[in-house]
Amino acid sequence: MTQHEFIQFLTDLPEDKMKAELTKAFIERYGAGTEEIMMIASPARINIIGEHIDYNGGKVFPAAINRYLYVLLRKRPDTKIIYDDIRFPGALEFSSTETFCYRRENQYANYLNGMLAMLQKGGYKLTSGFEVLFFSKLPAGGGISSSAALEVGFGRAVDELFGFKVDPVELAKMGQESEHVFMNMQCGIMDQFSIAMGKKECAMLLDTATLEYEYVPLVLGDYRIVVMNTNKQRALVDSKYNERCAECMEGLALLQKIKPIYNLCDLTSADLGMVAEAIADERIFKRVRHCITENERVLAAVAALKAGNLQKLGVLLKASHDSLRRDYEVTGLELDTLADAANAEPCCLGARMTGAGFGGCAIALVQKDAIAEFTARVGNAYTEKTGLTASFFACEAGDGAHRV
């Protein structure tokens, strides 16, 4: 079969049969060998609410979902490290004895070598080389953290292979630092943390300032979370993500002159009058206002979910998207079209963008028996306005990165 047919074949298989097929593909590339071939599953994540505040000390409400990126790896008798990917074949080679650094030509391997560099920094030593094969069921650049799934999943795989026993929280921190140092992406820790620490059937209330967290059962009754992909690709490093970080830091610096705060999310709506007086630049004021109000929406959303008030949760999702559109300005035509079309559907309680924005994905809380009808109508409305074809899938909360 063609490569495209093989990828679709793998995508449609249940995990146990897919593992067998991936193992066969691994042996075809690298030979039979004598060492065990290990497989790690690393999930995507959605952020139910709490967007663009994980780097502002806010509270966020993510969940790992039951869509995975898979890492197969095996030790080698030499120092050679080889990466290959089912979707993007072509081996990339390195050495376990080298000092890893960013190089543009290394493509996706920079995410992997960044994790190896963080492990080196932490005192973990690679005692041999290894060979790796990746296969992902996640949309790349789609706003559900395919890059963090790659980092954390690969980090967990190397940890298991060499018996390092790195704490999952420490692994998440390494993933974040790798993004900062290797990729010049000044992200918060939410993505890596939720992928490392995700729990089946639960979302996670995470305080990004303290890393205190609470698992909250994701009980949705007759509703399901539907992920809506704009299929407008974007690379976060080249987007306005770092620009928004800088704007928030500018606002924080101005506010720290008049109030002893450490993060923007230390403030509440009661402080907005003071914020307006301290910040003359309307653009910076709007960024700060989003951080403050979004942080409060997270707490309200968790309370609504615990109380079983899904209608209130839906209202908060809509308000979050509106703030991201008007105050934080990270949505754009494609995400706004999807969210607006979804929110116009009677079977949908609320929809919002998820992730960094500028394309990528949105989520919607949809009545489970109406999902097919919902996706058809929203998809048609989206194509009519943008000329693009959206893709949709319903998801459930799944476990964090784990050995299969």
Side-chain angles (χ1 to χ4, degrees):
M1 63 180 79
T2 67
Q3 184 196 11
H4 176 76
E5 289 170 339
F6 182 55
I7 289 170
Q8 191 59 54
F9 168 69
L10 289 173
T11 301
D12 294 340
L13 287 177
E15 190 172 80
D16 58 340
K17 293 183 179 179
M18 185 198 66
K19 180 180 180 181
E21 292 294 333
L22 285 175
T23 301
K24 285 167 56 178
F26 187 98
I27 292 170
E28 287 174 5
R29 278 169 171 76
Y30 297 121
T34 57
E35 295 280 350
E36 177 189 7
I37 300 171
M38 183 184 299
M39 188 164 99
I40 300 292
S42 187
R45 71 97 188 94
I46 55 170
N47 189 24
I48 297 170
I49 197 166
E51 217 63 75
H52 279 283
I53 58 174
D54 62 326
Y55 51 88
N56 288 297
K59 293 179 174 62
V60 294
F61 196 43
I65 62 172
N66 57 341
R67 286 286 179 110
Y68 295 95
L69 174 150
Y70 296 92
V71 186
L72 285 79
L73 76 170
R74 181 178 65 188
K75 283 185 178 179
R76 291 179 59 90
D78 53 23
T79 62
K80 189 179 292 185
I81 295 173
I82 308 175
Y83 304 135
D84 205 348
D85 191 289
I86 292 284
R87 290 182 179 273
F88 309 103
L92 297 167
E93 295 190 11
F94 303 90
S95 171
S96 61
T97 61
E98 70 181 86
T99 300
F100 297 97
C101 58
Y102 176 87
R103 291 189 178 89
R104 185 180 181 88
E105 64 270 20
N106 287 344
Q107 307 166 49
Y108 72 87
N110 282 304
Y111 290 103
L112 313 174
N113 291 345
M115 289 300 291
L116 294 180
M118 294 308 111
L119 286 165
Q120 286 178 333
K121 181 180 176 183
Y124 299 99
K125 182 176 175 58
L126 301 175
T127 54
S128 74
F130 53 92
E131 46 213 9
V132 190
L133 181 63
F134 298 97
F135 176 65
S136 178
K137 293 188 178 183
L138 314 182
I144 56 176
S145 289
S146 55
S147 60
L150 183 62
E151 291 161 353
V152 175
F154 176 69
R156 173 55 62 220
V158 173
D159 171 69
E160 290 269 355
L161 191 68
F162 290 97
F164 291 150
K165 300 189 185 303
V166 180
D167 180 80
V169 174
E170 189 61 30
L171 197 67
K173 290 178 180 178
M174 287 181 180
Q176 182 193 28
E177 186 177 0
S178 174
E179 290 269 8
H180 289 181
V181 175
F182 249 66
M183 309 305 294
N184 190 32
M185 180 67 183
Q186 302 307 308
C187 64
I189 199 169
M190 174 184 66
D191 294 351
Q192 292 82 5
F193 199 98
S194 55
I195 289 168
M197 298 290 290
K199 184 177 179 182
K200 188 177 182 180
E201 298 179 350
C202 290
M204 179 192 304
L205 175 61
L206 171 64
D207 186 327
T208 62
T210 65
L211 297 190
E212 294 177 354
Y213 63 96
E214 173 192 354
Y215 291 114
V216 179
L218 195 58
V219 180
L220 301 177
D222 289 334
Y223 287 82
R224 296 292 180 268
I225 292 174
V226 174
V227 176
M228 310 182 291
N229 191 347
T230 65
N231 287 316
K232 177 193 177 185
Q233 297 298 304
R234 79 277 187 277
L236 294 184
V237 177
D238 297 324
S239 76
K240 291 182 176 292
Y241 188 101
N242 286 344
E243 180 183 307
R244 292 295 180 275
C245 295
E247 290 168 343
C248 289
M249 293 306 101
E250 182 179 342
L252 178 64
L254 291 169
L255 292 165
Q256 285 175 329
K257 294 177 180 178
I258 58 174
K259 190 176 178 71
I261 59 171
Y262 192 72
N263 293 298
L264 289 179
C265 290
D266 294 341
L267 302 172
T268 69
S269 291
D271 296 308
L272 282 172
M274 175 200 70
V275 172
E277 291 180 8
I279 300 177
D281 187 327
E282 182 183 4
R283 175 176 51 94
I284 302 300
F285 169 76
K286 290 199 302 182
R287 307 299 187 250
V288 174
R289 181 168 61 187
H290 167 74
C291 293
I292 293 171
T293 58
E294 183 77 350
N295 195 50
E296 292 175 338
R297 280 187 287 271
V298 171
L299 295 176
V302 172
L305 185 61
K306 287 181 176 180
N309 189 344
L310 298 182
Q311 285 72 24
K312 175 65 173 176
L313 177 60
V315 168
L316 291 163
L317 296 180
K318 294 176 184 177
S320 173
H321 187 88
D322 190 58
S323 181
L324 289 157
R325 177 190 301 195
R326 303 181 192 284
D327 277 357
Y328 220 69
E329 299 180 277
V330 292
T331 56
L333 172 67
E334 293 80 10
L335 283 169
D336 288 340
T337 300
L338 268 186
D340 290 346
N343 284 323
E345 291 293 321
C347 63
C348 176
L349 295 181
R352 60 177 289 275
M353 61 155 274
T354 187
F358 313 109
C361 289
I363 58 170
L365 190 56
V366 182
Q367 210 283 329
K368 64 180 182 181
D369 294 331
I371 289 175
E373 182 182 350
F374 168 85
T375 57
R377 285 209 296 258
V378 172
N380 287 339
Y382 178 71
T383 299
E384 185 175 326
K385 188 163 185 177
T386 68
L388 298 173
T389 301
S391 51
F392 303 81
F393 65 87
C395 65
E396 299 175 359
D399 287 322
H402 60 279
R403 187 170 177 173
V404 178

